[in-house]
Amino acid sequence: TQSTWGKKLNFVVFAVSVIGSLCLVISRFPSSPSFTTHTMSVYGVNEIISWILARPLTYIGPHNESQPRTHASVRPIEPSEQLKLVWNGIIAHVTETLYNAKSIRIPGFGAFSFEVMANGPKSAQEASNNTAAALLTDERKLERFGNYMRPCFLIDDQLRSHVTRQLHKQQISQSSALGSVYQQGFRMVVLNATPIAAGCYLQKDVVESARRAFFKAVVDLVRLGHDVDLNFKVVRVTIRDRKLKVVFDDTFVRHLQSVDCFKKQLRRADVTQRLATTWKTSPTDKFNSTQMATLIKRPVTAEVVTGNAKTRALRLMSIDFTSTSKVHFNRGLPAL
């Protein structure tokens, strides 16, 4: 009996030692990312700005310091608030461009574009006359065919290489001859820093530097395995666990799917506006009619100049008051 219990005890000790060795060997192997719990933090706009300012040697540019404003009445702000202001300008510019049914490309990130969709004809007679030329020239057929515009996102190659768990299917049907992104989208334009700089009262190079640093940081964070959440108001782009998800605002989607919007935006030019009116409209009036003109409250120059003059006068008076408390005389001159 004692020998039997001894054999059982030896077997238990041997089994425990084997299980411990296996656990030690398994722990040395790196775990697969598909079986691990995803605990990476999500980087929003504020976190991305803090990431950029904490690494000035990686994201070099004038955005790392407070820059003077283009309007004398507007005071300089801190670098973090400066980057937030540029981000708000990017949101306003992207929103206005998309509501005008124009595609916009952000270098290093991607492009927001549209695809003209058709539900199909409603009768056999219309099916026989369903040609692209007829659809584009006869606006009365637009309502009967049920055409609409579908928003979509074209990811940039720099970001696509790091979104490894994304099924890279093109959201726009294209042929192999369309190599440039400007040939893929509908009325594609690039993100213009000039109106953003005018709306933020900053130099153009500061806006360009902030834009490059911001979206370069997005690519770097995704490359390092972090999650990113970017809210453009009209569209929300999230990257979680190296998967891309793009959700457009419901109000914006309904606006695009309306027949009036489709008929108006499908034209290359606004035929309702006379050419003489276009010639008489100055660039300043065109800018004042955009969202960038109301991005921040425009200062009243007369009031600011008056306030600055009063501040300078008070400063001179305070210097005079401090100088009368103690008077220094030259040694070679008699005291008065």
Side-chain angles (χ1 to χ4, degrees):
T1 307
Q2 293 180 357
S3 60
T4 304
W5 281 104
K7 291 180 180 179
K8 291 182 179 180
L9 182 61
N10 293 334
F11 178 77
V12 170
V13 172
F14 175 75
V16 170
S17 62
V18 171
I19 293 174
S21 301
L22 290 176
C23 293
L24 181 62
V25 171
I26 293 173
S27 63
R28 293 182 178 180
F29 288 94
S31 58
S32 176
S34 60
F35 295 96
T36 57
T37 304
H38 191 71
T39 58
M40 284 290 183
S41 58
V42 179
Y43 279 75
V45 176
N46 296 329
E47 290 78 11
I48 294 175
I49 291 175
S50 301
W51 173 278
I52 294 172
L53 297 178
R55 296 161 178 82
L57 297 180
T58 304
Y59 309 100
I60 303 175
H63 61 273
N64 291 310
E65 298 179 356
S66 180
Q67 299 295 328
R69 313 298 286 275
T70 55
H71 199 286
S73 303
V74 184
R75 301 294 183 184
I77 54 180
E78 295 295 329
S80 59
E81 298 297 329
Q82 190 172 259
L83 287 174
K84 290 180 182 178
L85 180 61
V86 174
W87 172 252
N88 293 331
I90 292 175
I91 291 178
H93 185 53
V94 169
T95 302
E96 186 175 14
T97 304
L98 292 179
Y99 265 97
N100 290 330
K102 293 182 180 179
S103 305
I104 183 168
R105 174 179 178 263
I106 302 176
F109 181 69
F112 299 104
S113 183
F114 308 95
E115 186 177 16
V116 179
M117 308 294 292
N119 292 329
K122 298 181 181 180
S123 64
Q125 183 179 0
E126 291 175 348
S128 61
N129 299 327
N130 186 8
T131 59
L135 287 176
L136 296 179
T137 54
D138 192 359
E139 296 182 358
R140 291 177 298 178
K141 293 184 179 180
L142 294 176
E143 299 182 8
R144 305 188 68 183
F145 279 92
N147 298 325
Y148 64 95
M149 301 177 67
R150 180 181 67 88
C152 55
F153 178 71
L154 303 176
I155 188 172
D156 193 85
D157 293 336
Q158 298 181 17
L159 184 60
R160 180 184 308 187
S161 59
H162 302 300
V163 187
T164 56
R165 302 189 65 186
Q166 178 74 18
L167 297 177
H168 300 296
K169 295 181 179 179
Q170 295 291 342
Q171 295 190 10
I172 291 183
S173 302
Q174 58 176 346
S175 63
S176 59
L178 300 178
S180 174
V181 68
Y182 297 100
Q183 297 173 306
Q184 298 175 15
F186 182 76
R187 301 170 66 183
M188 182 73 70
V189 297
V190 71
L191 182 69
N192 192 359
T194 301
I196 300 176
C200 298
Y201 296 100
L202 291 169
Q203 296 291 340
K204 182 181 177 181
D205 58 343
V206 179
V207 176
E208 284 284 356
S209 176
R211 191 267 308 164
R212 287 194 302 267
F214 192 90
F215 291 103
K216 181 182 177 183
V218 171
V219 176
D220 292 343
L221 289 171
V222 175
R223 177 176 56 85
L224 295 174
H226 297 283
D227 296 339
V228 177
D229 186 2
L230 300 178
N231 188 3
F232 290 88
K233 300 296 178 64
V234 70
V235 58
R236 193 183 192 95
V237 180
T238 57
I239 301 176
R240 294 182 181 272
D241 197 13
R242 299 186 182 274
K243 291 183 180 179
L244 176 68
K245 182 179 180 181
V246 181
V247 179
F248 287 89
D249 184 59
D250 294 337
T251 305
F252 173 66
V253 174
R254 288 194 298 268
H255 170 74
L256 289 177
Q257 293 180 355
S258 62
V259 179
D260 296 335
C261 175
F262 184 82
K263 290 192 298 184
K264 179 181 178 182
Q265 303 302 338
L266 197 61
R267 303 187 187 101
R268 290 293 177 178
D270 190 2
V271 296
T272 60
Q273 185 177 5
R274 298 182 60 183
L275 188 58
T277 306
T278 305
W279 288 347
K280 294 178 182 179
T281 305
S282 64
T284 304
D285 296 336
K286 291 181 180 179
F287 176 76
N288 293 334
S289 61
T290 61
Q291 294 184 7
M292 299 304 304
T294 58
L295 182 61
I296 61 176
K297 185 178 179 180
R298 181 173 299 181
V300 182
T301 306
E303 295 180 359
V304 174
V305 170
T306 304
N308 293 339
K310 292 180 180 179
T311 303
R312 288 193 299 268
L314 183 60
R315 186 181 304 157
L316 292 175
M317 293 174 61
S318 63
I319 293 174
D320 183 68
F321 290 156
T322 56
S323 63
T324 56
S325 61
K326 187 176 180 180
V327 181
H328 299 276
F329 301 100
N330 293 329
R331 296 181 178 180
L333 297 178
L336 297 178

